[in-house]
């Protein structure tokens, strides 16, 4: 078997609030609570398990999601319509903008626990396939 990421735990002030926030933006489903976790499954089989911990114990992390152009349109509209601040860069220096890195589109925003979230339509370093001259 090849190595695959199966799940990760995301610390939050309120596990349900954070799970529902991200699921709403990305058009995903919130799973059934399991012990201290509220799961959100992604299309590639990775589960994000949101866990409530004391706010002072949360270390902000970065989570990037590769999505289609259509999914970007839907997610970006949810970000804008709900008033979530967004940026074209991870440092928040380009507010209210998206980026076009690697020929795609990308935007950064923060979840309720302070984690940096990113949606992109092209992976870093993406290059269009060379055209074949037939």
């Amino acid at each position: 078997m090849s190595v695959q990421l199966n799940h990760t735990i995301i610390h939050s002030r309120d596990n349900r609030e954070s799970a529902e926030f991200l699921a709403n933006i990305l058009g995903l489903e919130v799973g059934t609570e399991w012990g201290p976790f509220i799961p959100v499954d992604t299309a590639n089989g990775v589960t994000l398990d949101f866990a409530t911990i004391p706010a002072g114990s949360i270390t902000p992390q970065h989570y990037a999601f590769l999505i289609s152009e259509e999914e970007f349109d839907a997610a970006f509209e949810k970000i804008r319509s709900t008033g979530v601040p967004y940026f074209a860069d991870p440092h928040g220096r380009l507010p209210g903008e998206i980026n076009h890195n690697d020929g795609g589109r990308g935007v950064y925003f923060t979840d309720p626990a302070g984690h940096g979230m990113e949606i992109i339509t092209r992976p870093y370093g993406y290059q269009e396939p060379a055209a074949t001259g037939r």
Side-chain angles (χ1 to χ4, degrees), residues 3 7 9-10 30 38-39 42 49-50 57 61 67 72-73 77 82-83 98 107 117 121 123 127 134:
V3 176
H7 69 276
I9 297 170
I10 300 177
V30 174
I38 304 288
T42 65
D49 289 321
F50 290 86
S57 298
Q61 301 293 314
I67 61 179
F72 185 93
D73 289 339
E77 178 55 33
T82 57
I98 64 172
V107 70
M117 300 292 173
T121 61
Q127 294 181 3
R134 289 185 176 216

Side-chain angles (χ1 to χ4, degrees), residues 50-124:
F50 290 86
T52 300
I53 69 167
S57 298
I58 297 173
T59 299
Q61 301 293 314
H62 175 77
Y63 299 93
F65 301 92
L66 179 62
I67 61 179
S68 71
E69 292 289 340
E70 295 78 18
E71 290 165 328
F72 185 93
D73 289 339
F76 186 57
E77 178 55 33
K78 288 176 187 172
I79 289 167
R80 290 181 50 210
S81 68
T82 57
V84 173
Y86 62 92
F87 306 86
D89 67 304
H91 305 291
R93 295 184 190 125
L94 300 169
E97 298 180 35
I98 64 172
N99 67 57
H100 297 278
N101 298 340
D102 299 301
R105 294 183 290 166
V107 70
Y108 296 82
F109 58 99
T110 305
D111 86 336
H115 297 297
M117 300 292 173
E118 177 184 10
I119 54 174
I120 55 175
T121 61
R122 297 284 188 274
Y124 288 117

